[in-house]
Amino acid sequence: MQPRHFISLLDISGNEFRGLIKRAIALKNHRDPDYQPLKGQVLAMVFEKSSTGTRISFEAGMAHFGGNAIFLSPRDTQLGRGEPIEDSAKVISSMVDCIMLRTFKHETVTTFAQHSSVPVINGLTDEQHPCQLLADMQTYFEERGDIQGKTVAWIGDGNNMCHSYIHAATVLDFKLHIAAPAGYQPNKMISVAADDRVRFFDTALAAGKNADLIVTDVWASMGQEDEQKQRHSAFKDYQVNADIMRAAHKDALFMHCLPAHRGEEVSAEIMDGPQSIVFAEAENRLHAQKALLEFLLCTK
Ligand code: CP
Ligand code: NVA
């Protein structure tokens, strides 16, 4: 039987998503050091790109649950020397209980999962970042309750985070208002599939109007370092600042998956201001992914 993977938010139902959030909040509020459901189990983590939050949250989460995590990079594995993904998937999955991958091409994760005998988790690809959305949604639920029917504004690049927000809007049933410059819109197949849950706006101000949550991300993602200059000019009118927050609902919150660039995609005033919940959001990676590991590895 194929193991249950977590490659995309579309792999889980709304009920399962809400269950994961509830469990993440419970794990956060009542940490029991004797609860070690993954004792003796091993998570392999393959990172083709840098990471602070993802690596530490998975590693700490496995330790809390009595298991272990192994950090692997292409630099020191055969994956970086051209071993076929299919072969690496068979080898690694024969020795561990779960595998997390952070890669460039989304197909690397889907191909790996097809050949893995254990659950595979997408720890970020150029196309999606579903683990971040588990934490973001947990943070929203903690602050404001269920997000169903609310309005979220995505300001900036139509990137991996934006795609996962589109998926979250579908699975959790909220409205997503997107303002992205021409040439940096999200993948059309992904947004079209979300139907009327997604609306596009010409300006950041229009997208942010009456929103309950404002979200942005870096203008140049990992792997796009060479495009910095041209992206800076394309995105200059897409900064989340006090004007945007004023246009939003008076109780609106601000999120950013980090790392953030103050003065670029977000002003320092908003990033460090009272509506920003970015550090609670960052911490929740730990709790949300513990809930995910339990869901994938302990649910029969
Ligand atoms: N948000 C996020 O994925 O952080 P890292 O890149 O530090 O893992
Ligand atoms: N869009 C960013 C997210 C980082 C967590 C990137 O891919 O670099």
Side-chain angles (χ1 to χ4, degrees):
M1 202 178 76
Q2 269 280 314
R4 180 112 196 226
H5 303 300
F6 183 68
I7 310 290
S8 163
L9 288 173
L10 300 181
D11 294 341
I12 56 173
S13 67
N15 273 346
E16 287 171 333
F17 202 153
R18 289 185 169 84
L20 284 169
I21 292 170
K22 201 168 157 207
R23 183 66 183 140
I25 294 171
L27 287 165
K28 178 177 179 175
N29 292 338
H30 306 284
R31 174 137 183 246
D32 173 5
D34 294 330
Y35 179 62
Q36 302 209 326
L38 301 184
K39 200 169 169 94
Q41 299 209 35
V42 178
L43 170 73
M45 307 185 296
V46 179
F47 282 95
E48 286 184 355
K49 297 177 175 177
S50 304
S51 169
T52 299
T54 304
R55 176 176 177 181
I56 296 169
S57 53
F58 271 114
E59 227 170 289
M62 284 302 291
H64 290 180
F65 276 172
N68 282 290
I70 306 175
F71 173 83
L72 302 162
S73 87
R75 238 193 344 269
D76 34 47
T77 59
Q78 301 296 357
L79 265 170
R81 294 185 62 252
E83 179 172 76
I85 294 161
E86 294 84 346
D87 293 356
S88 289
K90 286 178 195 155
V91 172
I92 299 172
S93 69
S94 71
M95 300 182 212
V96 302
D97 303 280
C98 189
I99 302 164
M100 187 238 79
L101 285 106
R102 168 167 286 197
T103 71
F104 290 86
K105 287 209 293 272
H106 192 71
E107 300 77 59
T108 305
V109 177
T110 51
T111 305
F112 196 102
Q114 274 160 19
H115 297 273
S116 169
S117 55
V118 301
V120 169
I121 297 172
N122 176 0
L124 180 146
T125 65
D126 287 344
E127 188 183 286
Q128 297 180 40
H129 194 6
C131 287
Q132 183 67 51
L133 262 289
L134 296 181
D136 286 23
M137 293 300 103
Q138 177 192 340
T139 315
Y140 188 88
F141 276 56
E142 282 173 339
E143 295 285 337
R144 298 282 187 264
D146 203 303
I147 201 162
Q148 183 171 33
K150 303 282 184 187
T151 301
V152 178
W154 176 268
I155 314 288
D157 196 10
N159 61 11
N160 44 11
M161 276 296 298
C162 179
H163 292 151
S164 288
Y165 261 94
I166 295 172
H167 288 158
T170 302
V171 179
L172 294 178
D173 190 23
F174 61 82
K175 290 177 250 166
L176 185 66
H177 291 183
I178 298 176
Y184 299 96
Q185 302 278 325
N187 178 310
K188 200 138 197 184
M189 293 235 301
I190 293 176
S191 56
V192 165
D195 200 18
D196 63 357
R197 298 228 175 55
V198 172
R199 281 182 62 194
F200 288 89
F201 293 82
D202 290 336
T203 64
L205 206 61
K209 194 160 183 249
N210 296 326
D212 300 289
L213 170 65
I214 307 272
V215 195
T216 190
D217 188 11
V218 290
W219 289 344
S221 284
M222 290 182 276
Q224 297 169 337
E225 289 76 9
D226 295 349
E227 300 171 28
Q228 297 264 24
K229 220 171 142 208
Q230 104 205 29
R231 283 175 168 268
H232 275 227
S233 70
F235 285 95
K236 67 178 173 15
D237 296 327
Y238 291 81
Q239 183 187 76
V240 176
N241 53 31
D243 292 340
I244 310 286
M245 294 310 290
R246 259 195 300 275
H249 192 272
K250 67 173 171 18
D251 288 336
L253 298 166
F254 170 74
M255 286 197 210
H256 188 309
C257 64
L258 307 182
H261 297 78
R262 290 168 177 79
E264 294 181 17
E265 73 274 7
V266 58
S267 67
E269 180 190 9
I270 297 308
M271 176 73 189
D272 302 311
Q275 289 167 290
S276 172
I277 49 169
V278 299
F279 294 109
E281 178 190 0
E283 180 193 323
N284 282 340
R285 293 294 301 276
L286 170 67
H287 311 296
Q289 285 156 204
K290 283 171 74 174
L292 176 67
L293 288 165
E294 191 184 56
F295 173 75
L296 293 176
L297 298 175
C298 305
T299 317
K300 290 284 166 258

